[in-house]
Amino acid sequence: MQEQKTALLVIDAQIGPLWGTYKKEETLSVIQHIIAKAEKASITIIYIQHEELPGGMLAKGSPFWQFTPEISPRPEDFVIPKQAADAFYQTTLTDELQKREINHLVVTGVRTEYCIDTTCRAAITRGFHVTLVEDGHTSADAVIPAETIIQHHNHTLRTIGTPDRSIHVLPADQIVF
């Protein structure tokens, strides 16, 4: 069995995507805690930053595009822009992971039913092991309440897999780097 080499993905921890989210402060606290654990263990941290075309709310440089003040990538971290829910779609994410021989992703961040869900599913089909931080992602009320969206995805994503990959869903306090 191949040795597990892990990276932390922090998806869309930006002012715009965080606007109006469920338990925003609690979730940001969990994300900060996971980042600190990863930093202490010298784990690669990759920040995914959603970026819309000029004129969009999340256009590069706009106020809503900025990372939230509670989350600040360090110079040694990676920031990868994306323009779709899938953090792998037309980005350098796969190349960066392969260069570092990373085969396991711990995923945290924003908008559960969009970028978190899509990136977790895309990762296992690309051969990565995935651990979703159960209490480290959030969304906003939509057709159904955000709390239900989060619970549904925590349940559903842990049941999805390929013949050789799966998505583990664990609370932050159970994640060890």
Side-chain angles (χ1 to χ4, degrees), residues 9-12 14 48-52 58 80-91 93 107-108 110-123 126:
L9 286 187
V10 180
I11 299 175
D12 298 349
Q14 298 161 257
I48 305 297
Q49 189 172 28
H50 198 87
E51 185 176 299
E52 293 177 347
L58 295 175
I80 296 177
K82 69 173 178 61
Q83 293 186 330
D86 178 355
F88 292 93
Y89 180 75
Q90 296 184 353
T91 70
L93 181 56
V107 178
T108 188
V110 182
R111 297 295 171 133
T112 301
E113 72 275 34
Y114 298 109
C115 303
I116 299 299
D117 176 270
T118 305
T119 298
C120 286
R121 292 172 189 251
R126 285 174 170 78

Side-chain angles (χ1 to χ4, degrees), residues 123-145:
I124 61 169
T125 63
R126 285 174 170 78
F128 296 97
H129 298 280
V130 175
T131 301
L132 174 61
V133 183
E134 182 175 44
D135 48 349
H137 61 98
T138 190
S139 196
D141 291 341
V143 174
I144 57 176

Side-chain angles (χ1 to χ4, degrees), residues 31-46:
I31 293 171
Q32 289 172 311
H33 174 70
I34 288 292
I35 290 169
K37 284 169 80 170
E39 288 174 349
K40 185 174 181 182
S42 298
I43 297 296
T44 298
I45 302 174
I46 301 173

Side-chain angles (χ1 to χ4, degrees), residues 6 31 60 68 158 168:
T6 302
I31 293 171
K60 186 175 183 174
T68 187
R158 72 171 36 101
H168 297 276

